[in-house]
Amino acid sequence: QEEGGRGKTYPRTDPVAIGLVLSPDRQQILLNSVKGMPGFYTCISGFVDQCESVEDALTREAFEEAGVRLASVELYGSQAWPIGRGGSCELMIGC
């Protein structure tokens, strides 16, 4: 609660789309290498822009990060990620 009991303060929550990108035959996945961490790979991900759907965010990130155009995106689930950049919270939305 704020000083003087005027209300509650909630942490900022930044939505992030993260996805497992499968090849058309579903036999391979697309991973992104992490700069400065040789041998470490992660799924395609990125912040959801204002007025952008989660599906559109993942589609955009796949093209920006890997030059891949996605045929379709399905939402899978979400998970709060309590420690984000600069102390904010990130809401990870899996596709």
Side-chain angles (χ1 to χ4, degrees):
Q1 204 162 352
E2 290 183 22
E3 189 176 321
R6 298 182 186 185
K8 293 182 179 181
T9 302
Y10 295 96
R12 178 177 157 172
T13 303
D14 299 318
V16 175
I18 184 167
L20 180 65
V21 178
L22 298 170
S23 62
D25 65 3
R26 304 178 69 87
Q27 297 299 308
Q28 298 178 3
I29 60 172
L30 177 64
L31 297 175
N32 209 5
S33 61
V34 178
K35 292 178 184 172
M37 298 182 74
F40 188 79
Y41 298 89
T42 185
C43 292
I44 301 293
S45 64
F47 290 100
V48 179
D49 290 338
Q50 290 180 339
C51 300
E52 183 179 47
S53 71
V54 175
E55 297 91 339
D56 287 346
L58 186 63
T59 299
R60 175 181 50 77
E61 289 292 339
F63 185 74
E64 288 177 2
E65 293 183 15
V68 172
R69 296 196 186 274
L70 301 181
S72 65
V73 175
E74 296 177 29
L75 289 180
Y76 179 75
S78 64
Q79 174 186 359
W81 198 260
I83 302 173
R85 297 178 188 150
S88 66
C89 296
E90 295 174 358
L91 175 62
M92 304 297 278
I93 305 168
C95 302

